[in-house]
Amino acid sequence: MNCMEEQFILRVPPSIAERIERLLNEDPSSSDEKSLDLSFSEDGRSGTFMIGDDRFPASLLDLPCVTESYKTYDDNVLIKTADIGQMIMVREGNDIAPDTVEYRHGLTPPMRDARRRRFRREPDLNPEVVQRVENDLWNIMRSRGAEQTAQDEDGDENVRNASKKPAPTPKAKADTPDPGNNAGEADGSDSDESDESI
């Protein structure tokens, strides 16, 4: 069972944050700003954030890295609730809209310009070279697969041959003295070979 929630980060200017905090803390019936809404256009990346009668432009941006979200019930044990990869950025009306779908900075000051400063640059690869290497790898894997199949067949045949070993020939029994020939000798006559350790 997957208990993960779907979450996003809502980043708003300080003036809007104060209004949202007031709206959440006050009694809804006595508040002047009774509505809070967010809608997006067909492209799914640009939209409008509404608080009361005021409208603000908003953009859905991808974060440079995944942020994990946790919650706790006892201030002791943390429970992971989501992997957050997107942020809704609300702007003042005169702010310029971002020109990319990825936000360059993380959520905290140390992650400023994280894509350039903290992450490895994507290598410049020629698509023809990549295709040629991929084909070579496929050929190697196919030839290894054929060799492995042949080795498996040889191994199976060796196992079958090993299981068909000829039955071992019984060893000849040591000559036992004929009781008839020892009739004249008394039992235990080999007193020289008796156990002297007693």
Side-chain angles (χ1 to χ4, degrees):
M1 180 176 170
N2 189 359
C3 297
M4 299 290 279
E5 301 173 359
E6 291 187 16
Q7 299 179 3
F8 62 89
I9 292 171
L10 179 66
R11 178 168 276 184
V12 297
S15 61
I16 300 175
E18 291 173 6
R19 294 175 64 180
I20 292 174
E21 187 174 4
R22 231 182 3 253
L23 179 65
L24 295 175
N25 291 335
E26 292 178 358
D27 182 21
S29 60
S30 64
S31 176
D32 298 334
E33 301 165 330
K34 296 182 180 178
S35 65
L36 189 68
D37 195 16
L38 179 66
S39 62
F40 282 93
S41 58
E42 290 181 7
D43 66 353
R45 287 285 178 176
S46 59
T48 305
F49 178 77
M50 292 161 278
I51 181 167
D53 295 331
D54 296 329
R55 295 170 172 262
F56 300 94
S59 300
L60 179 66
L61 302 173
D62 297 334
L63 292 171
C65 61
V66 172
T67 302
E68 295 179 346
S69 170
Y70 294 86
K71 66 181 173 184
T72 181
Y73 295 106
D74 58 1
D75 293 329
N76 190 16
V77 177
L78 293 175
I79 302 167
K80 183 176 176 181
T81 56
D83 287 324
I84 303 173
Q86 292 183 315
M87 170 178 65
I88 297 175
M89 179 176 280
V90 178
R91 305 181 309 276
E92 296 283 358
N94 54 1
D95 290 346
I96 301 170
D99 56 350
T100 61
V101 296
E102 184 180 72
Y103 187 59
R104 284 181 49 200
H105 315 296
L107 300 176
T108 58
M111 290 293 287
R112 182 159 189 80
D113 206 7
R115 176 65 64 193
R116 183 181 59 80
R117 291 189 314 114
R118 295 192 174 264
F119 299 148
R120 185 172 46 198
R121 186 175 66 86
E122 292 183 8
D124 297 328
L125 296 175
N126 184 351
E128 295 173 2
V129 173
V130 172
Q131 186 63 41
R132 190 171 63 235
V133 170
E134 183 180 355
N135 291 337
D136 290 345
L137 285 173
W138 276 112
N139 291 336
I140 290 170
M141 289 170 56
R142 283 190 204 111
S143 64
R144 290 263 169 95
E147 290 175 8
Q148 187 65 34
T149 303
Q151 288 177 357
D152 289 346
E153 290 174 359
D154 290 344
D156 291 344
E157 191 169 324
N158 290 340
V159 168
R160 282 193 294 268
N161 291 340
S163 65
K164 293 180 182 177
K165 285 184 180 176
T169 57
K171 293 182 180 179
K173 292 185 179 180
D175 291 335
T176 55
D178 189 6
N181 293 340
N182 290 339
E185 298 180 10
D187 287 336
S189 63
D190 297 335
S191 60
D192 294 336
E193 297 178 14
S194 64
D195 190 8
E196 296 178 0
S197 63
I198 299 176

